[in-house]
Amino acid sequence: MAQEDVFKKVVSHCKEYGFVFPSSEIYDGLGAVYDYGQNGVELKNNIKQYWWQSMVLMHENIVGIDSSVFMHPTIWKASGHVDAFNDPLIDNRDSKKRYRADVLIEDQIAKYDEKIEKEVAKARKRFGEAFDEAKYRETSPRVLEETQKRDALHQRYSDAMNKMDLEELRQIILDEQIVCPISGTRNWTEVRQFNLMFKTEMGSTADASMTIYLRPETAQGIFVNYLNVQKTGRMKIPFGIAQIGKAFRNEIVARQFIFRMREFEQMEMQFFIKPGTELDWFKQWKQTRMAWHQNLGFGAENYRFHDHEKLAHYANAATDIEFKMPFGFKEVEGIHSRTDFDLSQHEKFSGKQIKYYDPELGESYTPYVIETSIGVDRMFLSVMCHSYCEEQLENGETRVVLRLPAALAPVKLAVMPLVKKEGLPEKARQIIDDLKFHFNCQYDEKDSIGKRYRRQDAIGTPYCVTVDFDTLQDDTVTLRMRDTMEQRRVKISELRSIIEDEVTITSLLKKLKQ
Ligand code: ATP
C-alpha cells in the first residue's frame, strides 16, 4: 500500500473506530482541533502512563507536578515568547491560502533530497551487488549537481532564518519558483511575522482586566516552580521535574491530522544539573529517550536523531527524535540543552533569587537544564500509523488489524458468549467482573463470533475469550490471540496471569533498559 494511502486509511480508521473525531463536528469542525473518542482516550492515557511511570517511578530523582494553563503574563516576556515565538507567514494571493515560509522552503530542500535518493536507488538497481554507494555519491554528475543546489539553498535558508530576514525568505521562495499547491501560482505576498500565542482576558471589569496567554508549552510551569519543588522536596541536583499537560499554539498551517494541532498535549521533563555537565547529560538523555521509543518494538530503523544546526539563542545543543510517519521522518520529541537561560530570565524578571546551594561545593549557582519534550498527540499518531495493518487472509478476505503494543491497547480483553442465552452471557459477565479490576475488559455478544473478532482486531484488542457450553461444564474458555489468530483452550483461573504479563505498563517498563 502506498504510504499516502496508509495515512488516509489511518485517519478514517481513527474516526470510524472511536479513536479521534474532528472537534465540534456537527458544526463543521474547528481547524486543527480534535477530540479523542472512547478508544482514543484509553490509548492516549496508556501512552501518558508509559511516559509518566518511566520518568517518575523509574527515577528516584524525578518528581512530577501539574501547573496551571494560565500563568502570569510576565512569564512569557521572560521566556522570550512574547517577542520571539513567531513563525514567518506568507499568503498566496490567488488561492488566499496561508503558508509558513520556512516550511515551503524546507519542503523544497526535501524535494532535492528525494531527487538525490531516487538517483542513488536507480543506480543501486542498475549495478546490483557491485554498487559502491559512497563513490557514486561523490562522482555521479547528476547527484553532484543536485547536492550542490540543495546545499546552496540550505545555506541561504539557514542564514535567512538566523537573521530572520523576511525579505530574503520571500526572495528564496521566488528564486526557487515555489508554487502554491492549491492555485499553482507564484503570486506571493510579503512575509510577515506571526505570534503563535493565544491571548485572552482575565478579570471581570474592562479596567481591571489583564491580557493573559494560553501556555504554548508546559515547560515554563516547571521553571517557575523550580524553587518550590526543590525546597519542599529537598531535591538535590541532579534532579528532574516532569509534567503532562495541554499547550496551545495558533499554528498558521495546520496539516496532517493530529500531527500539528492548535490545542495539544505535551509530556515535558526538565532536568536540573550543575553547569559544565550539560553535554554529558544531554548525551545520556538522548539515549534514555531513544530507548523508551524503541522499547515499543516498532523497529530501530524507524527512528533517527536530527541534530539542530540552528540553535535557539539559549541552547548549546539540541536534537529531535524523528519517527518514520507515512509522510516521512518527522519530529516526535525534542531534547534540548537550555543552559541557565530560563531560570536566569525568571530571576531577572521576578527579582527573586533562583539558585541552588550545592552543599558539596559550598557555593550557589543557577542550575543548567536538559529538557525532554514530547507531544502526546504526535506519539499517538506514530503508534497508530505503525500499528495499522491490512492482512490478506487465506480465504481471500482482508483483515484490518491494529497491531498495537499490548500495553498501549485500549481494551485488553474482550469476553464473548458464543450465544446470547442458556447461561453463557452470565458466565461471560462473571469473568469480566473478576478481571475488570486488573485491566480493561469489554463484553460483546452481538453478531457472529467472526465479526466480533474483527471488531476487536480493528481496535487492537490483544486477547479475546469465547465462552461456550463446555465452559459451563469445565470452566475453560477459548483464548484467541490478535496477531497470530491462534486459539487455545485455557482455564478461566489462568486468564489473569496469562494476560497480565503482556498488557500492563509495568510489563513494558520491565523491558526498558535504563
Ligand atoms: P515543530 O517544529 O513541528 O513546530 P517544535 O520544534 O516547535 O515543533 P517543540 O516546541 O520542541 O516543537 O515542542 C515539543 C514537542 O511538542 C514536539 O516534538 C511535538 O511532539 C509537540 N508539538 C509541538 N507543536 C505541536 C502541535 N502544534 N501539535 C501537536 N504537537 C506539537
Side-chain angles (χ1 to χ4, degrees):
M1 210 184 332
Q3 288 299 294
E4 260 171 40
D5 294 340
V6 174
F7 187 52
K8 275 193 201 140
K9 291 207 167 164
V10 167
V11 176
S12 59
H13 194 84
C14 277
K15 166 95 195 289
E16 196 181 334
Y17 286 92
F19 284 90
V20 182
F21 307 125
S23 160
S24 326
E25 200 185 5
I26 57 169
Y27 292 94
D28 295 332
L30 183 66
V33 188
Y34 291 90
D35 297 338
Y36 286 83
Q38 67 279 13
N39 289 317
V41 69
E42 297 290 342
L43 170 55
K44 197 177 180 208
N45 282 342
N46 291 337
I47 292 173
K48 289 196 273 188
Q49 255 197 55
Y50 175 40
W51 183 87
W52 185 265
Q53 296 192 7
S54 75
M55 285 291 177
V56 177
L57 263 60
M58 300 290 105
H59 294 96
E60 257 176 48
N61 58 349
I62 298 181
V63 292
I65 61 162
D66 183 18
S67 71
S68 51
V69 169
F70 294 154
M71 290 195 266
H72 195 286
T74 311
I75 287 173
W76 304 110
K77 237 2 230 170
S79 67
H81 282 82
V82 172
D83 296 322
F85 195 52
N86 299 321
D87 276 342
L89 71 83
I90 189 164
D91 294 281
N92 181 272
R93 291 198 183 92
D94 299 320
S95 65
K96 308 266 182 295
K97 289 279 171 205
R98 183 158 284 180
Y99 299 90
R100 265 172 65 176
D102 55 334
V103 172
L104 286 179
I105 300 172
E106 277 171 18
D107 287 350
Q108 181 75 358
I109 295 173
K111 277 191 191 147
Y112 284 116
D113 285 334
E114 254 171 55
K115 267 194 208 162
I116 295 166
E117 291 317 308
K118 262 196 193 145
E119 282 296 324
V120 174
K122 263 200 295 189
R124 191 179 296 120
K125 224 175 174 181
R126 202 161 3 114
F127 294 114
E129 295 240 314
F131 184 52
D132 181 345
E133 185 171 326
K135 193 156 175 217
Y136 184 78
R137 284 180 190 272
E138 279 167 24
T139 52
S140 155
R142 291 185 75 160
V143 169
L144 283 177
E145 190 189 333
E146 293 301 326
T147 308
Q148 217 173 32
K149 280 197 221 159
R150 181 223 176 265
D151 290 349
L153 173 59
H154 187 262
Q155 188 59 48
R156 203 175 154 197
Y157 166 62
S158 300
D159 291 346
M161 285 298 282
N162 279 330
K163 289 188 234 139
M164 254 309 149
D165 184 343
L166 303 183
E167 269 177 40
E168 172 68 353
L169 284 177
R170 178 168 191 270
Q171 200 52 49
I172 295 175
I173 290 171
L174 296 179
D175 292 350
E176 287 290 324
Q177 309 194 338
I178 296 173
V179 297
C180 163
I182 308 286
S183 66
T185 71
R186 284 180 246 145
N187 194 3
W188 296 110
T189 62
E190 298 305 304
V191 177
R192 281 174 294 143
Q193 289 284 32
F194 178 77
N195 193 287
L196 299 183
M197 281 196 296
F198 285 100
K199 278 185 202 162
T200 187
E201 299 287 319
M202 184 180 261
S204 54
T205 61
D207 295 344
S209 78
M210 91 170 139
T211 300
I212 54 166
Y213 301 97
L214 300 193
R215 66 179 176 198
E217 60 175 34
T218 57
Q220 297 305 323
I222 295 179
F223 293 127
V224 298
N225 277 299
Y226 157 80
L227 276 183
N228 284 337
V229 175
Q230 193 270 318
K231 293 225 156 81
T232 58
R234 290 178 295 120
M235 307 301 291
K236 287 207 169 56
I237 271 178
F239 74 92
I241 304 179
Q243 165 158 241
I244 299 179
K246 287 276 176 120
F248 306 83
R249 296 183 189 178
N250 198 1
E251 298 280 0
I252 299 170
V253 198
R255 285 188 307 185
Q256 285 146 343
F257 192 39
I258 55 172
F259 182 79
R260 191 172 297 287
M261 302 154 90
R262 297 201 166 102
E263 174 180 341
F264 59 100
E265 207 162 3
Q266 289 186 313
M267 307 189 278
E268 296 198 299
M269 194 280 300
Q270 311 292 329
F271 199 67
F272 299 94
I273 52 176
K274 196 168 123 191
T277 62
E278 69 271 18
L279 293 182
D280 288 338
W281 280 113
F282 177 70
K283 218 162 107 190
Q284 193 160 323
W285 276 109
K286 268 176 83 168
Q287 278 168 8
T288 306
R289 293 305 304 146
M290 187 57 106
W292 183 89
H293 285 275
Q294 292 189 0
N295 192 41
L296 289 172
F298 295 163
E301 69 284 3
N302 289 313
Y303 299 89
R304 69 181 189 196
F305 285 115
H306 171 237
D307 294 331
H308 290 204
E309 291 155 45
K310 176 185 176 258
L311 292 173
H313 56 285
Y314 50 78
N316 63 4
T319 196
D320 296 334
I321 293 180
E322 295 185 336
F323 181 76
K324 195 170 180 195
M325 302 273 190
F327 41 92
F329 272 99
K330 294 286 167 193
E331 170 182 345
V332 175
E333 170 158 6
I335 301 164
H336 311 119
S337 170
R338 296 180 74 115
T339 67
D340 60 354
F341 174 79
D342 303 273
L343 292 183
S344 302
Q345 284 292 98
H346 289 307
E347 193 162 48
K348 201 161 102 193
F349 279 74
S350 68
K352 309 274 185 325
Q353 264 232 352
I354 308 180
K355 296 257 186 308
Y356 174 75
Y357 176 74
D358 192 325
E360 278 164 30
L361 291 179
E363 61 183 59
S364 295
Y365 55 78
T366 309
Y368 270 38
V369 170
I370 303 295
E371 160 181 87
T372 71
S373 171
I374 167 170
V376 181
D377 313 271
R378 280 195 195 173
M379 190 62 207
F380 184 108
L381 183 60
S382 66
V383 170
M384 285 303 280
C385 289
H386 194 271
S387 303
Y388 182 86
C389 183
E390 286 181 14
E391 262 178 19
Q392 214 57 44
L393 300 181
E394 277 172 13
N395 63 6
E397 279 178 28
T398 307
R399 172 171 94 122
V400 174
V401 50
L402 269 191
R403 293 179 180 276
L404 295 172
L408 299 186
V411 178
K412 311 301 186 187
L413 172 71
V415 184
M416 310 167 169
L418 189 63
V419 289
K420 271 192 268 183
K421 53 186 181 191
E422 293 174 49
L424 297 190
E426 290 75 13
K427 188 75 185 170
R429 289 205 186 275
Q430 248 177 37
I431 296 176
I432 290 190
D433 281 345
D434 214 23
L435 294 178
K436 70 184 177 192
F437 299 100
H438 309 292
F439 40 78
N440 197 0
C441 303
Q442 199 170 77
Y443 176 78
D444 192 359
E445 62 173 20
K446 206 168 167 290
D447 300 319
S448 70
I449 284 288
K451 272 197 182 152
R452 285 183 254 172
Y453 282 156
R454 290 290 176 277
R455 266 204 299 271
Q456 296 299 331
D457 288 343
I459 63 166
T461 306
Y463 297 101
C464 293
V465 303
T466 307
V467 173
D468 54 25
F469 292 106
D470 287 345
T471 312
L472 301 180
Q473 306 303 320
D474 60 6
D475 270 336
T476 64
V477 286
T478 302
L479 178 69
R480 184 245 193 200
M481 268 59 78
R482 175 194 72 196
D483 292 343
T484 55
M485 294 192 285
E486 179 205 332
Q487 302 189 4
R488 61 191 162 106
R489 203 73 194 171
V490 300
K491 289 209 178 88
I492 291 174
S493 57
E494 290 170 352
L495 277 176
R496 181 178 162 194
S497 71
I498 296 174
I499 297 171
E500 214 166 42
D501 270 356
E502 292 296 321
V503 303
T504 56
I505 298 292
T506 313
S507 63
L508 205 50
L509 291 173
K510 280 187 178 162
K511 282 192 241 156
L512 247 188
K513 285 182 229 97
Q514 291 290 337

